């Protein structure tokens, strides 16, 4: 039993050291509904942390959201498509600072790693209407710096 436990711990530890870590800086958002966008903050400054382990990513942070409130987010992303320095996939998780205490967050993630240390995340969130709530679709840009 102790050999199995030791093997599991070694595998878990190896996985931790294989991951890349990034500091992320939220830069801007662009809302697709341009009539509504005049009421939104599209300079969504913020800071975050991203851990990339193969095709999986964990993303957390905070930013000034489109409603001019502070939001905190925790996301998991899966990016199985790789074309050169670009990775494409989906993300899901939760975000605060909107109508609900914790709102679901889903969308597409495109990452371009310009160099070993510097990259860009582009997120695309679709417009969603559910009962009396509408999420205005947008795309957002983050800079990422490898730690």
């Amino acid at each position: 039993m102790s050999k199995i436990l030791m093997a599991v711990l070694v595998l878990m530890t190896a996985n931790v050291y294989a991951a890349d870590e990034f500091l992320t800086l939220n830069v801007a958002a662009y809302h697709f509904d341009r009539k509504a966008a005049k009421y939104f903050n599209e300079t969504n400054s913020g800071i975050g942390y991203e851990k990339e382990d193969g095709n999986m990513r964990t993303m957390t942070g905070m930013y000034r959201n489109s409603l001019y409130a502070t939001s905190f987010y925790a996301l998991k992303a899966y990016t199985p498509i790789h074309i050169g320095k670009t990775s494409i996939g989906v993300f899901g998780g939760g975000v605060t600072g909107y109508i609900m205490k914790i709102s679901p967050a889903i969308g597409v993630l495109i990452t371009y790693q310009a160099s070993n240390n510097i990259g860009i995340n582009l997120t695309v969130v679709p417009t969603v209407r559910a009962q009396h709530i509408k999420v205005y679709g947008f795309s957002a840009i983050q800079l990422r710096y490898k730690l």
Side-chain angles (χ1 to χ4, degrees):
M1 180 67 165
S2 63
K3 288 182 182 181
I4 293 172
L5 181 59
M6 183 59 87
V8 169
L9 289 173
V10 167
L11 288 173
M12 289 173 57
T13 306
N15 215 10
V16 169
Y17 291 112
D20 289 327
E21 298 176 296
F22 297 87
L23 171 72
T24 57
L25 300 173
N26 293 26
V27 178
Y30 178 87
H31 293 83
F32 305 134
D33 183 340
R34 297 313 295 163
K35 288 181 184 176
K38 66 183 176 184
Y39 301 106
F40 294 139
N41 172 28
E42 290 192 319
T43 307
N44 303 107
S45 57
I47 190 166
Y49 169 81
E50 181 177 333
K51 185 173 185 177
E52 181 181 316
D53 190 2
N55 292 334
M56 297 302 298
R57 299 164 193 241
T58 301
M59 306 163 78
T60 60
M62 63 176 288
Y63 63 99
R64 184 93 168 144
N65 72 24
S66 299
L67 303 177
Y68 299 90
T70 299
S71 284
F72 295 90
Y73 64 91
L75 307 169
K76 273 302 235 191
Y78 177 60
T79 54
I81 302 168
H82 305 283
I83 304 167
K85 296 181 177 184
T86 303
S87 298
I88 303 168
V90 295
F91 68 87
V95 63
T96 65
Y98 295 96
I99 294 171
M100 300 181 341
K101 284 189 177 188
I102 300 176
S103 301
I106 59 166
V108 173
L109 173 65
I110 302 169
T111 298
Y112 175 72
Q113 196 62 33
S115 72
N116 225 13
N117 295 328
I118 298 173
I120 297 171
N121 285 338
L122 173 67
T123 56
V124 180
V125 174
T127 297
V128 177
R129 290 179 185 85
Q131 296 176 347
H132 64 283
I133 297 173
K134 179 178 181 180
V135 175
Y136 289 89
F138 66 91
S139 62
I141 295 175
Q142 280 185 326
L143 299 177
R144 61 196 304 247
Y145 182 77
K146 190 173 183 178
L147 298 174

